[in-house]
Amino acid sequence: MEDSRRKQQILFSSLQNQFAHWMSDLPEKLWDQSLCNLAIPGSHDSMTYCLDLKSPIKPSDKILNYLDHVMPCITRPEIYKWCKTQESCITEQLEAGIRFFDLRIAHKPNDTSDNLYFIHGIFTTVTVLETLKEFEHWLKTHPKEVVILACRYFEGMNKQQHHQLIQKIEDIFGYKMCLKTCAALVTLRNLWELDYQVIISYDNVIANEYPNLWPGIPYWWADTYNAKSLVQYLETQKQIGRPDGFFVAGMNLTEDWWYIVTHLRSSLKRLTFPNYPYLSDWIKKQDPGPGKHCFNIIAGDFVGAGYLAGTASCISHKPSC
């Protein structure tokens, strides 16, 4: 266990040196490329490194709530090991080169406070406010790095809570927030000149009321636990053609109930890690750029392992397709 932890620390230290400033280290020829045409590494369900086993179950999942009621000693550990998609905190993910974050926000049922948390099956231990401040603190020391925060889901939230959350976002990031504009104008050079570092995607109709909130970002999700099926799905999507603006190709494998029942000793991590080499090889063959078959944001699970930032970095330096 100690040797494994030491290896992880060595790997993380190496990633810090390579990818903590990868945007500012890009060659000048890429400074005028739209961020929509660059390869950007992202994390899927970014906040699941801090899931709270004692929190309520996701209210809208009736099956999980029933199972939790009749056999919580079994249900809770299973939820934890299959819903935990990340092991690295936000600062560690940023240092490892991640620049897109999948933030699934929710309000706990029967919670009389205004605190908001993140959710994936169960809620997180840290609040949304604490996390936003963590982003802001890191960006202060990395003035040429830009992050895309995809706020979505919003279970259990009313209109007032949306407005309160948006006000907190504006208070924390202030002038660092990039105004909603033509995606072609969102280049590193322009962002640096305007001192913008944060693009907030807010996947709710209320975003239309705010000029500094971008709309929801399309996410290509294969919904499969088979790596070859995932790649086949993304290849099919490529033939259809990429959306205008930002979009995400999800490299995350997804279990279903049958897979869980037949793999009770497994976990999402054990499903994901053996497939890294295959998925990495496929990513390296992709191209960034505005072309129909090009990629933009590539999001995955357990990004602290380093495979995603490294492979995205490889294709970032390719000529645009």
Side-chain angles (χ1 to χ4, degrees):
M1 179 66 72
E2 186 63 30
D3 287 343
S4 176
R5 181 60 183 166
R6 189 178 297 112
K7 289 179 181 178
Q8 290 180 2
Q9 290 174 337
I10 293 172
L11 173 61
F12 177 62
S13 177
S14 174
L15 289 174
Q16 282 183 305
N17 294 333
Q18 291 184 60
F19 302 121
H21 302 271
W22 71 263
M23 284 183 160
S24 57
D25 290 339
L26 286 173
E28 188 172 357
K29 65 182 180 180
L30 296 178
W31 295 357
D32 295 309
Q33 287 281 339
S34 168
L35 261 61
C36 302
N37 299 333
L38 295 180
I40 298 176
S43 60
H44 163 251
D45 259 310
S46 307
M47 296 302 300
T48 54
Y49 69 90
C50 60
L51 292 177
D52 182 4
L53 272 173
K54 298 179 181 179
S55 83
I57 299 289
K58 175 182 173 182
S60 60
D61 197 320
K62 305 303 181 184
I63 295 177
L64 276 183
N65 276 278
Y66 172 76
L67 292 175
D68 185 55
H69 178 72
V70 297
M71 47 182 184
C73 294
I74 297 175
T75 305
R76 290 289 172 132
E78 289 299 313
I79 291 174
Y80 187 80
K81 69 180 185 178
W82 290 105
C83 288
K84 185 175 182 178
T85 67
Q86 307 295 340
E87 293 184 324
S88 303
C89 71
I90 288 301
T91 296
E92 291 172 337
Q93 291 183 42
L94 286 162
E95 292 287 328
I98 301 304
R99 295 295 178 267
F100 168 87
F101 294 84
D102 174 17
L103 304 178
R104 305 187 184 193
I105 299 171
H107 185 259
K108 289 181 179 179
N110 304 317
D111 186 352
T112 57
S113 76
D114 291 327
N115 289 333
L116 297 175
Y117 296 83
F118 303 95
I119 188 171
H120 191 213
I122 50 180
F123 292 81
T124 57
T125 57
V126 302
T127 66
V128 171
L129 184 59
E130 291 169 331
T131 302
L132 295 175
K133 289 180 178 178
E134 185 175 356
F135 277 113
E136 190 268 343
H137 177 74
W138 188 86
L139 289 169
K140 277 185 177 178
T141 59
H142 298 75
K144 284 196 168 185
E145 300 302 300
V146 179
V147 297
I148 303 169
L149 307 184
C151 301
R152 53 196 294 239
Y153 199 66
F154 305 119
E155 180 158 333
M157 289 177 60
N158 57 38
K159 190 171 183 179
Q160 180 182 356
Q161 289 169 325
H162 276 289
H163 285 298
Q164 290 173 341
L165 171 58
I166 294 168
Q167 184 61 58
K168 289 176 181 177
I169 291 172
E170 292 178 334
D171 289 344
I172 290 172
F173 295 117
Y175 65 89
K176 295 289 185 182
M177 292 176 64
C178 177
L179 296 176
K180 181 169 49 183
T181 183
C182 175
L185 299 177
V186 185
T187 67
L188 285 175
R189 193 187 301 273
N190 287 343
L191 292 170
W192 293 339
E193 288 178 355
L194 295 169
D195 214 15
Y196 290 153
Q197 284 188 273
V198 186
I199 293 172
I200 303 288
S201 162
Y202 204 90
D203 195 7
N204 185 277
V205 67
I206 204 168
N208 295 331
E209 301 177 27
Y210 294 87
N212 50 9
L213 296 182
W214 291 61
I217 296 175
Y219 195 111
W220 289 355
W221 177 44
D223 191 14
T224 178
Y225 53 79
N226 183 285
K228 291 184 178 179
S229 296
L230 186 155
V231 166
Q232 184 178 18
Y233 165 80
L234 292 178
E235 286 289 348
T236 300
Q237 292 297 107
K238 278 175 61 178
Q239 298 310 310
I240 297 172
R242 58 160 293 169
D244 294 330
F246 293 112
F247 78 103
V248 184
M251 300 303 298
N252 48 292
L253 296 171
T254 306
E255 75 288 346
D256 58 19
W257 284 106
W258 176 250
Y259 189 89
I260 292 175
V261 169
T262 55
H263 296 78
L264 292 177
R265 294 188 178 182
S266 189
S267 66
L268 184 60
K269 183 177 180 179
R270 290 184 177 181
L271 167 63
T272 302
F273 270 52
N275 288 293
Y276 273 161
Y278 176 77
L279 296 176
S280 296
D281 288 344
W282 183 82
I283 294 173
K284 290 175 184 177
K285 297 174 184 176
Q286 307 314 305
D287 297 302
K292 177 181 177 180
H293 301 148
C294 292
F295 276 77
N296 178 211
I297 300 166
I298 302 173
D301 294 332
F302 305 105
V303 294
Y307 87 101
L308 195 60
T311 50
S313 176
C314 288
I315 71 173
S316 285
H317 291 75
K318 290 183 179 180
S320 293
C321 66

